[in-house]
Amino acid sequence: MTIKIKNVKDKLAANNYKMTSQRRIILESIIENEGEHLSAEEIYARVKEEEPGIGLATVYRTLELFCDLNILHQLNFDDNCRRYELNHENKHHHHLICINCGSITEFNDEILEDFETGIEQEHNFSVTDHRIKFYGYCKNCQ
C-alpha cells in the first residue's frame, strides 16, 4: 500500500495538489477495499469511522479529483450508482455482473485485447479506452 500512496502523492504534487490527510484516508480506504467497486457513499461510511469530521462533499470532491488525475476510474454498472476503482496502468480488465445479487467479478481476457487490436487495424482507428460488462448469474445464483 505504501508504494501506491507514494505514487498518488507524486501524481498529486506533479499537478500542484497536496496529499492532505483527508485525501490520504480516502485513498487508503479505496486501497483496503480494492476489488469491491465502492460508491462514494460507501467510501464515506468507511472513512467516517476513522475520521468523524470528514464530510460527504469532501469525499465527492476527492473522488472527482482522483478521476481527473486518472488515479481512479469511475464505473457505472447500470444500478444508478457511480462506483470507483483504482486505475492500474497496463492492467485492463472487464466485469461480470450478477443480475440477481449484484456481485461484480473482474476478469481479463486476451481475446478481447486481440479483438481491439483488430478493430484498430481494420478501421484505422486508435482506441483509447473501452468498457465491457457482461450480465448474467454468478455461480451462487444459478
Side-chain angles (χ1 to χ4, degrees):
M1 177 166 30
T2 306
I3 293 170
K4 290 178 187 178
I5 291 174
K6 183 186 179 331
N7 291 344
V8 171
K9 185 177 180 180
D10 292 346
K11 194 167 210 172
L12 287 168
N15 289 278
N16 297 316
Y17 293 99
K18 292 181 179 180
M19 176 64 88
T20 64
S21 62
Q22 292 174 324
R23 288 177 182 151
R24 184 181 181 96
I25 196 169
I26 291 167
L27 178 63
E28 287 172 348
S29 179
I30 293 166
I31 292 170
E32 289 169 5
N33 295 285
E34 193 167 357
E36 291 190 39
H37 307 94
L38 300 175
S39 69
E41 291 79 10
E42 291 168 329
I43 294 167
Y44 171 69
R46 290 167 192 222
V47 299
K48 184 90 171 150
E49 292 174 11
E50 194 171 329
E51 181 63 47
I54 198 165
L56 181 57
T58 300
V59 173
Y60 274 111
R61 282 192 305 271
T62 300
L63 294 174
E64 184 177 334
L65 174 63
F66 286 175
C67 287
D68 289 346
L69 296 178
N70 209 21
I71 296 165
L72 296 179
H73 283 297
Q74 183 183 66
L75 305 167
N76 179 349
F77 294 123
D78 300 327
D79 60 355
N80 294 324
C81 182
R82 292 181 284 181
R83 299 183 179 281
Y84 300 89
E85 70 179 1
L86 288 170
N87 177 20
H88 294 288
E89 304 288 329
N90 302 320
K91 186 185 169 201
H92 197 83
H93 64 271
H94 309 289
H95 299 94
L96 305 172
I97 303 154
C98 181
I99 56 177
N100 186 51
C101 71
S103 68
I104 301 166
T105 304
E106 296 178 354
F107 76 97
N108 188 346
D109 190 347
E110 291 302 318
I111 294 171
L112 292 172
E113 303 306 319
D114 293 342
F115 179 69
E116 179 181 306
T117 302
I119 289 172
E120 288 180 320
Q121 292 171 351
E122 182 179 339
H123 298 282
N124 192 25
F125 186 83
S126 177
V127 175
T128 59
D129 195 14
H130 69 266
R131 303 273 187 248
I132 297 177
K133 302 177 278 189
F134 290 96
Y135 296 88
Y137 295 97
C138 69
K139 66 180 179 181
N140 295 330
C141 294
Q142 289 180 21

